[in-house]
Amino acid sequence: ELLDQLAEARETYPEAPLRLPLDRVFQLHGRGTVVTGTLISGKIAPGDEIEILPGRIRSRVRQVQVHNESVPEAGTGQRVALNIPLDRDQLQRGNVIAAPGFFEPVRELDTYVRLIDDFPHPLKDNSTVHFHLGTSRCLARVQFYGQRRRLDPGENDVARLKLDSEIVAGFQDPFIIRFYSPVRVMGGGRVLSIAPARYQRHDQKQQQLLQRLISGQPQDLVFQLIFQNGLINREELKVKARLSSRELQDALEKAGEEIMELEWDCLITRERLQEYTEKFQEEINSYHHNYPLRPGMPRSQAVDRIKVITGREEGEPLLTYWAGEGLIKLERQRVARADFIPQPGEREQKLIRHFLQQLEEGGLTPPLAWELGSEASEILEYLAYMGQVVRVNEELYLLREKFREAEAKLRKHLQEEGEITVAGFRDLTGSSRKYALPLLEKFDDLKITRRRGDQRIPGPQF
């Protein structure tokens, strides 16, 4: 009766990923290779594609039996036998049949370990034990966290296990450890993390996260994975947690306000978000200090800086969030502090007046940026942002009224003639090819013109 009650109370997820540890492998005359095991999670049916781990062999199921009877489908908790079109020597006890691409064999695990009360010896740090999980077995080296150097009988704690061969494991999987020699059961525990961070004995945050995982609640696993990865999209998290979509959603709902969802299904913990926000604010403040005339950091550069801060590729969701919170502003592919306004000093004001005079005198053939000096590009970019000049390319800048003058001449010509060449535009503006070609390319970018062979004709924005 008690077992019935426990079975009814246990929440199961039929859509969970398939995992079947093999306990027997044999051949039947006329049928080929047969494997048996207890289905830990998911379901399986004839024709399903499977992956045999840790060898990463792909195959399909020919037939499924439960208690010697063929069935259209077997589910979690059932004893199953599968007929698989593989050679007998490709499979062995300890292998795991899994959903393709969902599980990844590992050689390190963070665990919760307990020594049985009457074991005659302590479990010492860095000692080697026999490790049994599912139907697999291997040797493992035990490494404790913090100041602990041994686990006495009856004690428990978190530990990193380094395995001598790959196994397939899941969150909260139970395991047994046996003394190296003589071989005798000494304790056991549960798996806390199958994708542990780099082992750091005295990392207190890492230890806190592991202690939290002892609860066995999926929401704590999800929190740990999100915190560990910094920023992670929902699909990647589902694979790392080895949870079904419904299990993941349930866990996220139970985690509550500790986890935030940004754009593009990206998830982050509030603690990490605060950490990244402070670091990026330092980056943007430093940029404004070094380049007071620039309207902001180029957006692509900001995304690259976020990659350095987070160690992840996803930068845009954070930029969008910070902009929505009023911490930064996103304008013209530039990222700036929300209250930032470019402010030229007295020296910069003198240079601005000098460069504007040079551009005025140059008309449609002004000095190029490199001809104006090493500081010209910075000043000209500021003037372009303020709308006083137009950036044609990285070297050529025109006063706005001169640019409009060239545009007006071009429009009038195209209205009358319908087309123009580079040479024709050169003559029209009284410039040279050095100025006429980049200016026409600028009008191409603005879609005022479009190229047809050697000619320019009216574009969509003409």
Side-chain angles (χ1 to χ4, degrees):
E1 289 176 358
L2 179 58
L3 288 173
D4 285 342
Q5 290 171 16
L6 290 171
E8 289 171 4
R10 182 184 178 189
E11 190 170 13
T12 59
Y13 295 86
E15 70 276 23
L18 167 70
R19 186 154 62 114
L20 173 68
L22 304 185
D23 48 39
R24 285 195 304 155
V25 180
F26 54 92
Q27 283 189 311
L28 284 179
H29 182 68
R31 292 193 180 182
T33 302
V34 175
V35 299
T36 67
T38 301
L39 199 55
I40 289 179
S41 69
K43 53 190 178 182
I44 192 164
D48 284 353
E49 186 181 2
I50 56 173
E51 184 173 25
I52 294 92
L53 300 170
R56 299 174 176 83
I57 302 169
R58 295 288 181 102
S59 186
R60 286 191 179 275
V61 178
R62 281 180 177 162
Q63 184 183 26
V64 179
Q65 284 194 350
V66 175
H67 298 301
N68 299 317
E69 291 187 6
S70 295
V71 294
E73 183 179 87
T76 302
Q78 290 186 305
R79 286 289 301 170
V80 298
L82 308 179
N83 181 210
I84 301 174
L86 291 173
D87 291 338
R88 165 69 181 81
D89 57 8
Q90 290 180 275
L91 299 157
Q92 63 182 9
R93 176 185 169 87
N95 287 167
V96 174
I97 288 180
F102 212 98
F103 289 91
E104 190 67 27
V106 295
R107 296 187 73 137
E108 289 193 24
L109 299 167
D110 273 330
T111 64
Y112 170 74
V113 181
R114 181 181 182 279
L115 222 56
I116 58 178
D117 297 338
D118 60 351
F119 194 73
H121 308 291
L123 175 60
K124 295 181 180 179
D125 188 43
N126 271 320
S127 60
T128 299
V129 297
H130 295 274
F131 176 78
H132 300 257
L133 185 147
T135 59
S136 62
R137 58 181 294 177
C138 62
L139 294 177
R141 186 155 56 92
V142 182
Q143 293 183 320
F144 293 115
Y145 283 92
Q147 302 300 321
R148 184 177 285 280
R149 291 295 181 269
R150 57 186 276 171
L151 199 65
D152 289 321
E155 289 188 331
N156 56 71
D157 208 341
V158 294
R160 171 68 57 90
L161 297 188
K162 297 190 174 183
L163 316 176
D164 74 344
S165 60
E166 290 186 320
I167 68 160
V168 176
F171 178 56
Q172 287 297 303
D173 276 0
F175 62 83
I176 288 171
I177 55 172
R178 297 198 294 169
F179 199 60
Y180 183 74
S181 182
V183 179
R184 176 182 169 187
V185 173
M186 63 188 306
R190 290 187 175 271
V191 174
L192 300 183
S193 176
I194 52 177
R198 186 171 65 87
Y199 176 72
Q200 299 181 71
R201 175 184 284 276
H202 298 290
D203 187 329
Q204 292 186 344
K205 185 61 183 180
Q206 196 170 352
Q207 294 175 57
Q208 290 170 6
L209 289 170
L210 291 176
Q211 290 291 341
R212 178 172 177 165
L213 289 176
I214 293 172
S215 71
Q217 299 302 314
Q219 61 265 31
D220 292 325
L221 168 66
V222 166
F223 178 89
Q224 186 256 3
L225 287 171
I226 296 174
F227 183 89
Q228 182 177 307
N229 285 273
L231 188 67
I232 186 170
N233 66 61
R234 186 183 287 258
E235 196 60 32
E236 184 183 356
L237 175 62
K238 185 173 75 172
V239 173
K240 283 183 177 291
R242 275 64 170 179
L243 297 175
S244 66
S245 297
R246 192 180 129 211
E247 284 177 298
L248 178 60
Q249 186 57 39
D250 287 351
L252 289 173
E253 289 174 2
K254 289 175 182 175
E257 295 184 356
E258 285 189 299
I259 295 170
M260 293 187 62
E261 185 164 359
L262 308 181
E263 286 192 338
W264 298 302
D265 280 341
C266 281
L267 299 160
I268 190 169
T269 65
R270 286 189 178 275
E271 188 176 346
R272 281 287 199 203
L273 181 60
Q274 180 64 29
E275 174 191 334
Y276 295 159
T277 300
E278 290 172 0
K279 288 182 178 179
F280 187 73
Q281 284 177 325
E282 291 175 6
E283 291 279 350
I284 206 71
N285 287 335
S286 175
Y287 188 90
H288 289 326
H289 176 76
N290 294 329
Y291 306 103
L293 291 183
R294 295 185 186 180
M297 183 186 293
R299 191 164 182 150
S300 59
Q301 184 179 341
V303 171
D304 287 340
R305 295 314 303 161
I306 293 172
K307 288 179 185 177
V308 173
I309 291 170
T310 66
R312 303 284 297 180
E313 291 294 319
E314 301 89 345
E316 287 290 346
L318 282 170
L319 286 179
T320 304
Y321 172 78
W322 289 327
E325 292 294 303
L327 299 174
I328 60 172
K329 54 186 175 182
L330 306 174
E331 297 176 353
R332 306 180 197 174
Q333 293 302 305
R334 293 274 180 169
V335 180
R337 197 176 61 236
D339 61 351
F340 178 76
I341 299 174
Q343 293 287 352
E346 187 176 332
R347 181 174 175 280
E348 286 82 12
Q349 290 284 10
K350 289 181 181 178
L351 287 171
I352 287 171
R353 289 192 291 271
H354 173 67
F355 291 150
L356 286 176
Q357 182 181 350
Q358 294 283 320
L359 295 182
E360 174 69 35
E361 293 172 358
L364 292 176
T365 57
L368 298 178
W370 67 269
E371 295 173 312
L372 291 171
S374 60
E375 296 178 283
S377 292
E378 193 77 11
I379 299 292
L380 293 171
E381 279 294 312
Y382 166 73
L383 292 173
Y385 174 74
M386 298 302 292
Q388 291 178 265
V389 305
V390 174
R391 183 186 193 274
V392 179
N393 62 22
E394 60 184 13
E395 289 295 339
L396 177 58
Y397 293 80
L398 295 177
L399 285 179
R400 179 160 292 279
E401 52 268 28
K402 297 298 181 183
F403 182 81
R404 294 302 181 205
E405 178 186 322
E407 182 184 344
K409 288 181 178 180
L410 176 65
R411 285 179 179 274
K412 185 173 184 296
H413 180 90
L414 290 176
Q415 192 76 41
E416 295 172 354
E417 305 295 333
E419 60 185 26
I420 194 170
T421 62
V422 174
F425 186 64
R426 176 199 64 198
D427 297 339
L428 186 68
T429 56
S431 61
S432 66
R433 184 179 178 86
K434 180 173 76 170
Y435 294 95
L437 180 58
L439 197 48
L440 271 181
E441 290 174 342
K442 178 70 173 181
F443 289 129
D444 290 344
D445 291 341
L446 295 172
K447 301 191 185 315
I448 293 170
T449 58
R450 66 183 178 90
R451 189 172 176 177
R452 188 179 67 184
D454 294 333
Q455 306 281 346
R456 253 66 176 197
I457 60 174
Q461 299 299 320
F462 177 75

